[in-house]
Amino acid sequence: QVQLVESGGGLVQPGGSLRLSCVASGSIFAINAMGWYRQAPGKQRELVAVLTSDGSPTNYADSVKGRFTFGRASAKNTVYLQMNSLKPEDTAVYYCYADLHVNLGLAAEDYWGQGTQVTVSS
């Protein structure tokens, strides 16, 4: 019932920028956290950035600090990932992530988007 819908992926030259967006929709009682992970060919999925609802600052991967900006958009249940100064090493499938409750009486569960391809190449 809950869906995470991503947009903004594509092909960009080194040094360029992309902005990814993710909208969580469906029957949602509360969201504990939302963020982004990525998986490059031949590698395991890794955390890029996650923002929790407890007031803690955004947690960024060391490899993207200073280049990527993650935050909550003005629209309800929407987050973005602004990616600047992109490098070929950033090439990966990027997945939106959410930890949320669909009902007060149920434990929180993980939800994932379908993934969007980001390719950085000249």
Side-chain angles (χ1 to χ4, degrees):
Q1 189 173 5
V2 174
Q3 286 188 314
L4 304 181
V5 181
E6 302 145 313
S7 62
L11 174 65
V12 66
Q13 292 184 325
S17 298
L18 285 173
R19 183 181 176 93
L20 307 182
S21 296
C22 176
V23 180
S25 63
S27 181
I28 300 172
F29 177 76
I31 298 177
N32 296 329
M34 291 190 70
W36 294 89
Y37 288 71
R38 68 185 182 185
Q39 187 167 21
K43 294 187 176 181
Q44 291 186 294
R45 190 173 300 184
E46 65 175 352
L47 182 147
V48 177
V50 170
L51 178 65
T52 60
S53 300
D54 62 0
S56 300
T58 301
N59 183 25
Y60 291 97
D62 289 340
S63 60
V64 307
K65 288 181 179 178
R67 299 188 298 118
F68 291 10
T69 301
F70 171 71
R72 187 174 63 196
S74 59
K76 184 179 179 181
N77 299 331
T78 302
V79 296
Y80 67 88
L81 182 68
Q82 179 66 44
M83 304 185 294
N84 299 324
S85 302
L86 283 162
K87 305 175 180 179
E89 309 93 270
D90 297 316
T91 296
V93 177
Y94 285 70
Y95 296 92
C96 185
Y97 161 82
D99 175 35
L100 56 83
H101 294 267
V102 298
N103 188 282
L104 179 62
L106 299 175
E109 297 182 351
D110 293 342
Y111 291 86
W112 296 89
Q114 76 282 2
T116 183
Q117 178 70 47
V118 172
T119 302
V120 185
S121 177
S122 60

